[in-house]
């Protein structure tokens, strides 16, 4: 039971900052939600000024207040604070 409470397949992040200044279009990317985590495949979805990510596999301990960082390949696009 407790393990299932620590797994999430989606998140919303706010206070966004983008390296290029451009907001990524909806589509397939990779993200990290924890320091030293491997990149996890995800989809960016529209979220009314926030960043909404959906993961095909549940992610461990997605925690409000931590950062969600978005990547396209090896390129860091930016991210925001998990809500």
């Amino acid at each position: 039971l407790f393990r299932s409470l620590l797994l999430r397949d989606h998140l919303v992040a706010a206070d966004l900052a983008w390296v290029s200044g451009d907001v990524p279009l909806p589509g397939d990317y990779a993200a990290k939600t924890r320091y030293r985590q491997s990149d996890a495949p995800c989809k960016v979805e529209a979220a009314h000024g926030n960043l909404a990510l959906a993961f095909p596999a549940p992610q461990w301990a997605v925690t409000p207040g931590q950062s969600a960082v978005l990547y396209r390949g090896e390129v860091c696009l930016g991210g925001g604070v998990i809500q």
Side-chain angles (χ1 to χ4, degrees), residues 52-70:
L53 300 180
F55 298 93
Q59 301 299 299
W60 178 256
V62 175
T63 307
Q66 297 292 325
S67 295
V69 181
L70 192 65

